[in-house]
């Protein structure tokens, strides 16, 4: 925790952890506030903020050491820093592209192997009888592959679960999520995603690609890996939160572009040119390596993990009359997306509350895998929709009880990796799917995907959403041309695309970046407008019911996430009510013993300490002089930079900024630093190391004002002072994140130990 | 298969290409028999017989006519240049002399009829994948095609044999005899076809070569249609009971899992921490004001 105040555990607890800032209830609540003896335990809910998450510090500590270094570096040196930045981005791009290739190739081969084995088995037993064995084989294969994938995630690196997009979103927001950008996480993520896709779950490999790109970026830009315990002694200049964040966002961009072949897809307002560079490199790398792998080396035909295929303007163009239809599809997508999110919300809540033991999580994942296979099998078995094989578009045609030369069209959807199914739905010629097949598929896949998201496997939700949307979109297109008796000649593929966009927009609620991604993935700019319309409609309709899937999961994880703006209607709150108080302050020249005691106090695991004037007589005001961080104090204690030692004039090296950087980002805990009894009596002078000009706000500042300063500058600590420059409180991330606009107005979240 | 490629075009091309590659000899024969070039192709001999028995004569007529037309034009070429082979393919000749010759003839009219036709035939030839059934030098059918056609013939004979006496009977379940007796031949044919297809798919890279040549595909389609649709010999749906049993067992597992974890797992509790803040009434008042 970074709350700069002693958190007394059990003395000030009250029953209403959530004070709905609303009507009379609140008064009632406050009146009944009686001290409780035992710690207040409540079941997990969404209105909590976890103490587990800390903030990243994007504010440079401009202490004297920093200024000195800045002065030493001349202009030329800054230029090399600039060049290094580009080099790092190129490396991020290349490595992300290579990881994407690796995932793609391994998935293709393993999934191909699995489907071939199952197909041969089914073909054999169709003739001889005994198809239940094929079902068992398929379910067992799926379950065992998923078991391995889930085991490594649950027991080795739980943070690798899920798509990773919420985690990266939090990281870029400034929340430090433990282990999220470690090499170990990357390895688990990559293996996990391969196994869960091969295991036939209703998942995609695109979301995890974004996480992988971020990890690669964080690793390369720091020039070392703590998982490998190797320091390559390069890129030391970039060892700070600010630089790291920029690179992580470049890595995420590279991941997106590798996943969708959409290098412009992440051009968000805060984007910098070198992120764009990284994503270009990444998609190019993926493209060239995959082209070589597929045997047409100079072709460059596979820019992303998923390629929607070509949407020709002549064949699949749209007319103005169709735009209202697209908007209607957006509405449907919004409603279905909201339904998806609401179902997933309940499921996730149940999972957090009851399925929290790793072994249970593994069992759950296995069950989902087995059921997915079973549902697929039963659907294929029951389907009587046979279609002639046309060309070689179907990778693993299952004949089952169809006539020779025909295949079961349900099998193209279920007996395939989701990516391929999406492309089939977009591009198969009209008449390839029976409306009944599509309807059943949509229904089943909707529930399967909803059930799958949130399992302890690493997997994304992009592709399942696209698949659901493509299925009902195609169904919609078919029924449209049926209703109008063919007067609108509707290529169902076009409606499949719009349905996919609507469904995705309804689930994840990203408008701008998704538009660009979809547009790039289809390779047709004229689709930009309808896709944007569909996505916007879906988002507006969906937001009316519940929030987006990623935001929902961030909330359920009790992450102190700061949105762009403070909640509306919060102007009446001032810094005085928001801040934490009293604050643990340090004096400018402080006794070592006091520092050690404060740092090792487990009940107040604070991270930043305001430094006040160390005036011996208490009559004078102890004004704010600066801010010092826990990490800096630990480095000081470790190097024993004490006033007495300096006076002894032992030949002691002056502490440089490098010493602080070397310790970044994992500073040793205070327990590992030995301070003898004599040394406890020494004094430590903080004036050289503290940040002498921390950001402050007066007590009267309104919450939106504080919020804006905090969010825009990416601060970690914001000191609240009175008019005599005396420290009265400290605003940190959790103080701001606890206000949220809920259904009944402004809500306040409570802090909890998780 | 059952695809949109018309058999007529394939046959046209077959005839044409055979004549072309057959060189002077074939061309001469064709030109000589302008009126009755009905059965002159080397390859088309067999298809003519098969397809005429399946009322394909219309396509065949068209095929023959077009072939004759083109052949006529080519023979014209032949008289002019150093040889037809060098003039062919039109517009792509090597030596400048033959190039000029080709040019003067091929582009003499507004439609450039010879070029257009030739391109059309070439495209159809490619689309129909005719080269797939021929030997490398296009001299005749490849061994595998011969084998396939042999089996195909056998199957048809078998069908015909077993259908005698009940050919007019249209009730669907009356073909069990055929299904039983011809199963062996049919399976062999089907397997061979699948085998050829697999070999073909492994060998080729482009989308086109995933297909066998249209004649083989069509032959197989006809047989399959007869077998599955007309005779209704495809596999019956079986194993319903075990499949339902196994699947309901698997579908039942998650319910057990969730119920048991709901009942037996200890619910995860969070310990609340109350941060120390100024609990001023101002806070409350402010909010009250806002909502009043």
């Amino acid at each position: 925790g970074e709350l700069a105040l002693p958190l007394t555990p059990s003395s000030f607890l009250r029953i209403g952890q959530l004070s709905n800032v609303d009507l009379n209830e609140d008064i009632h609540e406050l009146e009944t506030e009686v001290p409780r003896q035992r710690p207040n335990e409540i079941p997990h809910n969404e209105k909590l903020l976890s103490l587990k998450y800390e903030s990243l510090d994007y504010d440079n500590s401009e202490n004297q050491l920093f200024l000195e270094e800045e002065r030493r570096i001349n202009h030329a040196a800054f230029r090399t820093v600039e060049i290094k930045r580009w080099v790092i981005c190129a490396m991020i791009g290349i490595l992300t592209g290579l990881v994407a290739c690796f995932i793609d190739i391994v998935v293709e081969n393993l999934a191909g192997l699995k489907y071939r084995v199952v197909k041969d088995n089914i073909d054999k037993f169709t003739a001889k009888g005994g198809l239940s064995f094929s079902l068992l084989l398929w379910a067992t294969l799926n379950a065992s592959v998923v078991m391995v994938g889930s085991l490594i995630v649950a027991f080795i690196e739980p943070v690798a679960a899920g798509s990773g997009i919420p985690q990266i979103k939090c990281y870029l927001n400034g929340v430090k999520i433990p282990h999220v950008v470690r090499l170990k996480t990357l390895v688990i993520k990559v293996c996990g995603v391969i196994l869960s896709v091969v295991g036939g779950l209703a998942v995609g490999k695109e979301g995890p690609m974004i996480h992988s790109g971020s990890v690669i970026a964080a690793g390369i830009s720091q020039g070392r890996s703590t998982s490998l315990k190797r320091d390559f002694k390069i890129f030391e200049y970039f060892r700070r939160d600010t630089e790291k964040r920029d690179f992580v966002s470049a890595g995420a961009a590279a991941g997106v572009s590798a996943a969708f072949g959409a290098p412009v897809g992440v051009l968000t307002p805060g984007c910098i040119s070198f992120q764009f560079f990284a994503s270009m490199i990444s998609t190019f790398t993926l493209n060239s390596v995959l082209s070589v792998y597929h045997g047409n080396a100079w072709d460059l035909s596979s820019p992303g993990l998923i390629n929607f295929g070509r949407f020709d303007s002549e064949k699949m163009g749209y007319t103005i009359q169709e735009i209202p239809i697209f908007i209607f599809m957006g509405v449907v997508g919004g409603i279905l997306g909201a339904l998806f999110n609401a179902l997933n919300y309940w499921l996730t809540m149940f999972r957090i509350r009851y399925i929290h033991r790793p072994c249970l999580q593994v069992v759950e994942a296995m069950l989902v895998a087995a059921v997915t296979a079973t549902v697929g099998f039963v659907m294929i078995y029951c389907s009587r929709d046979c279609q002639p094989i046309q060309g070689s578009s179907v990778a693993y045609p299952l004949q089952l009880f169809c006539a020779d030369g025909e295949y079961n069209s349900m099998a193209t959807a279920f007996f395939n990796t989701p990516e391929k199914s999406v492309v089939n739905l977009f591009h198969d010629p009209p008449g390839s799917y029976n409306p009944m097949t599509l309807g059943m598929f949509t229904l089943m896949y909707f529930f399967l995907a909803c059930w799958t998201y949130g399992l302890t496997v690493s997997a994304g939700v992009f592709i399942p959403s696209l698949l659901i949307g493509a299925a009902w979109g195609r169904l919609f297109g078919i029924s449209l041309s049926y209703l109008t008796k063919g007067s609108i000649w509707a290529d169902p593929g076009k409606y499949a695309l719009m349905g996919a966009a609507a469904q995705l927009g309804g689930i994840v609620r990203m408008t701008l970046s998704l538009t660009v991604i979809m547009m790039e993935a289809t390779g047709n700019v004229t689709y930009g407008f309808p896709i944007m319309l569909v996505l916007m409609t879906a988002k507006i309709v969906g937001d009316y019911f519940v929030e987006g899937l990623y935001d929902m999961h961030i909330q359920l994880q009790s992450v102190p996430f700061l949105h762009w703006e403070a909640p509306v209607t919060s102007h009446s709150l001032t810094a005085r009510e928001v801040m934490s108080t009293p604050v643990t302050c340090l004096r400018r020249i402080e006794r070592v013993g006091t520092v050690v005691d404060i740092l090792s106090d487990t009940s107040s695991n604070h991270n930043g300490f305001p430094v006040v004037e160390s005036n011996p007589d208490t009559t004078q005001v102890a004004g704010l002089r600066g801010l010092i961080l826990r990490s800096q104090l630990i480095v000081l204690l470790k190097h024993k930079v004490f006033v007495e030692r300096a006076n002894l004039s032992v030949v002691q090296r002056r502490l440089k900024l490098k010493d602080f950087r070397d310790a970044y980002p994992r500073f040793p805990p205070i327990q590992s630093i030995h301070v003898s009894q004599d040394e406890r009596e020494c004094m430590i002078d903080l004036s050289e190391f503290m940040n002498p000009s921390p950001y402050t706000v007066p007590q009267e500042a309104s919450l939106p004002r504080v919020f804006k300063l905090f969010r825009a500058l990416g601060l970690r600590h914001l000191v609240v002072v009175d008019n005599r420059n005396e420290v009265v409180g400290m605003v940190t991330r959790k103080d701001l994140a606890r206000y949220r606009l809920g259904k009944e107005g402004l809500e306040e979240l409570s802090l909890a130990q998780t | 298969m059952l695809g949109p490629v018309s058999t007529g075009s394939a046959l046209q091309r077959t005839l044409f290409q055979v004549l072309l590659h057959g060189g002077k000899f074939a061309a001469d024969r064709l030109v000589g028999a302008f009126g009755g070039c009905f059965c002159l192709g080397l390859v088309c001999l067999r298809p003519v017989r098969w397809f005429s028995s399946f009322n394909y004569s219309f396509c065949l007529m068209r095929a023959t006519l077009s072939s004759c037309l083109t052949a006529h034009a080519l023979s014209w070429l032949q008289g002019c240049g150093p040889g037809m082979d060098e003039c062919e393919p039109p517009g792509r000749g090597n030596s400048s002399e033959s190039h000029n010759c080709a040019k003067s003839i091929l582009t003499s009219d507004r439609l450039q009829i010879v070029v257009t036709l030739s391109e059309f035939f070439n495209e159809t030839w490619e689309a129909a994948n005719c080269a797939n059934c021929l030997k490398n030098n296009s001299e005749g059918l490849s061994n595998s095609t011969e084998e396939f056609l042999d089996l195909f013939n056998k199957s048809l004979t078998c069908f015909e044999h077993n259908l005698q006496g009940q050919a007019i009977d249209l009730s669907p379940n009356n073909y069990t005899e055929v299904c039983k007796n011809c199963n062996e031949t049919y399976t062999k044919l089907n397997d061979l076809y699948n085998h050829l297809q697999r070999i073909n798919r492994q060998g080729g890279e482009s989308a086109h070569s995933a297909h066998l040549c249209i004649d083989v595909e069509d032959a197989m389609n006809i047989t399959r249609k007869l077998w599955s649709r007309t005779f209704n010999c495809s596999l019956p749906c079986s194993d319903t009971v075990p499949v339902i049993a196994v699947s309901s067992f698997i579908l039942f597992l998650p319910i057990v899992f969730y119920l048991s974890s709901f009942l037996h797992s200890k619910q995860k509790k969070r310990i609340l921490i109350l941060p120390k803040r100024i609990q001023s009434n101002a806070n409350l008042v402010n909010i009250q004001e806002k909502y009043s």
Side-chain angles (χ1 to χ4, degrees), chain B residues 48-57 152 156 222 226:
Chain B
V48 165
R49 189 155 53 78
W50 302 323
F51 291 118
S52 56
S53 66
F54 282 99
N55 289 332
Y56 267 66
S57 48
F152 174 66
L156 285 192
I222 289 158
L226 278 176

Side-chain angles (χ1 to χ4, degrees), chain A residues 640 642-654:
Chain A
K640 309 213 183 294
F642 305 143
V643 178
E644 282 75 5
R645 288 189 155 225
N647 290 349
L648 282 175
S649 75
V650 185
V651 192
Q652 196 190 6
R653 190 172 61 90
R654 267 201 77 215

Side-chain angles (χ1 to χ4, degrees), chain A residues 116, chain B residues 194-206 209-211:
Chain A
R116 269 198 302 280
Chain B
N194 288 337
H195 175 70
L196 288 180
Q197 220 174 17
R198 207 171 312 133
I199 290 177
N200 198 34
R201 214 164 273 172
Q202 279 163 2
E205 292 119 35
S206 67
S209 58
H211 291 276

Side-chain angles (χ1 to χ4, degrees), chain A residues 386-643:
Chain A
C386 296
Q387 301 287 345
I389 302 174
Q390 283 167 328
S392 51
S393 66
V394 189
Y396 316 102
L398 273 187
Q399 185 184 353
L400 232 64
F401 307 119
C402 285
D404 284 335
E406 299 192 341
Y407 64 93
N408 190 308
S409 89
M410 188 66 99
T412 43
F414 268 116
F415 198 67
N416 215 334
T417 52
E419 277 94 354
K420 295 221 178 78
S421 308
V422 173
V423 179
N424 285 347
L425 283 172
F426 284 161
H427 289 295
D428 278 356
S432 307
Y433 297 90
N434 186 317
M436 181 70 186
T437 310
L438 284 176
M440 286 307 288
F441 176 74
T442 310
L443 191 71
M444 284 299 148
Y445 212 79
F446 184 86
F447 288 112
L448 282 179
C450 189
W451 188 20
T452 310
Y453 190 73
L455 282 180
T456 319
V457 293
S458 69
V461 77
F462 262 75
I463 294 299
S465 327
L466 284 176
L467 190 49
I468 297 166
W472 67 253
R474 200 173 171 109
L475 180 64
F476 186 84
I478 293 173
S479 24
L480 203 68
S481 65
Y482 180 73
L483 282 179
T484 56
K485 301 268 187 292
S487 66
I488 295 180
W489 181 78
D491 186 341
K494 180 171 58 187
Y495 289 97
L497 176 69
M498 292 302 155
Q503 185 67 53
L504 191 56
I507 290 176
V508 303
R509 313 277 166 79
M510 297 191 279
T511 323
L512 180 72
S513 46
L514 270 190
T515 309
V516 183
I517 287 175
M518 297 279 291
M519 207 170 74
E520 282 178 285
T522 53
N524 192 333
V525 185
T526 51
Y527 274 118
F529 178 64
I531 288 178
M532 180 105 202
L533 272 183
V534 163
L535 284 171
M536 267 171 51
T537 323
K539 180 180 160 57
I540 292 168
V541 173
D543 279 342
Y544 183 76
F545 299 106
V546 283
E547 55 196 328
L549 189 67
Y550 294 143
D551 290 332
M552 199 181 80
H553 274 260
I554 288 172
Q555 243 173 55
L556 282 171
Q557 295 299 317
S558 317
V559 179
F561 189 87
L562 293 184
H563 293 274
W564 284 109
E565 296 282 336
V568 284
T569 74
S570 62
H571 276 276
S572 51
L573 291 168
T574 61
R576 199 176 141 74
E577 287 123 5
V578 172
M579 71 190 185
S580 309
T581 189
V583 185
T584 318
C585 293
L586 294 173
R587 285 174 301 166
R588 205 161 59 78
I589 296 172
E590 186 64 274
R591 214 171 57 89
V592 173
T594 321
V595 174
V596 173
D597 288 344
I598 289 175
L599 289 184
S600 35
D601 183 3
T602 48
S603 68
S604 62
N605 186 23
H606 305 320
N607 206 296
F609 302 92
V611 180
V612 294
E613 193 53 65
S614 52
N615 219 326
D617 63 299
T618 48
T619 53
Q620 208 175 334
V621 192
L624 176 69
R625 287 291 170 268
L627 185 82
I628 195 149
L629 304 176
R630 167 179 288 261
S631 54
Q632 292 172 324
L633 287 174
I634 284 177
V635 175
L636 292 183
L637 289 177
K638 198 171 137 198
H639 290 87
K640 309 213 183 294
V641 191
F642 305 143
V643 178

Side-chain angles (χ1 to χ4, degrees), chain A residues 123-318:
Chain A
D123 287 348
K124 196 173 86 189
F125 281 116
T126 315
K128 288 201 311 196
L131 271 175
S132 48
F133 292 108
S134 310
L135 167 60
L136 273 180
L137 175 78
W138 191 5
T140 324
L141 266 180
N142 271 10
S144 45
V145 172
V146 168
M147 182 183 78
V148 181
S150 182
L151 272 177
I152 57 174
V153 172
F155 285 97
I156 301 179
E157 196 58 276
V159 81
S163 77
I165 295 179
Q167 283 92 329
I168 293 304
K169 224 177 149 181
C170 289
Y171 187 90
L172 294 178
N173 189 265
V175 186
K176 187 188 210 164
I177 298 196
H179 296 194
V180 77
V181 287
R182 282 214 204 159
L183 183 66
K184 194 166 88 178
T185 314
L186 175 68
V187 174
I188 300 298
K189 191 107 208 169
V190 169
C191 298
V193 77
I194 290 172
L195 290 169
S196 44
V197 174
V198 171
L201 290 174
V203 297
K205 51 193 192 284
E206 278 67 19
M209 212 41 245
I210 295 166
H211 191 171
S212 308
S214 310
V215 181
I216 291 169
I220 291 182
S221 66
Q222 303 303 299
R224 67 175 159 195
S225 156
T226 22
S227 295
L228 293 180
K229 301 197 173 52
R230 284 287 297 276
D231 188 345
F232 298 100
K233 306 272 181 208
I234 43 171
F235 307 138
E236 284 164 340
Y237 181 82
F238 301 116
R239 291 181 187 173
R240 323 175 220 170
D241 280 345
T242 337
E243 295 286 352
K244 199 168 166 184
R245 177 198 47 182
D246 287 348
F247 283 115
V248 167
S249 67
V256 170
S257 77
F260 298 98
V264 200
V266 275
L267 281 186
T268 45
C271 181
I272 323 169
S273 60
F274 65 79
Q275 297 173 347
F276 185 49
F277 181 63
S279 55
M280 277 294 181
I281 294 268
S282 137
T283 182
F284 182 75
T285 310
L286 177 77
N287 202 343
S288 33
V289 175
L290 278 190
S291 298
V292 170
Y293 176 75
H294 291 307
N296 30 3
W298 311 110
D299 203 16
L300 298 185
S301 55
S302 30
L305 287 184
I306 171 140
N307 300 306
F308 290 173
R310 284 184 59 81
F311 280 83
D312 286 327
S313 291
E314 306 103 63
K315 271 165 92 184
M316 299 174 101
Y318 61 95

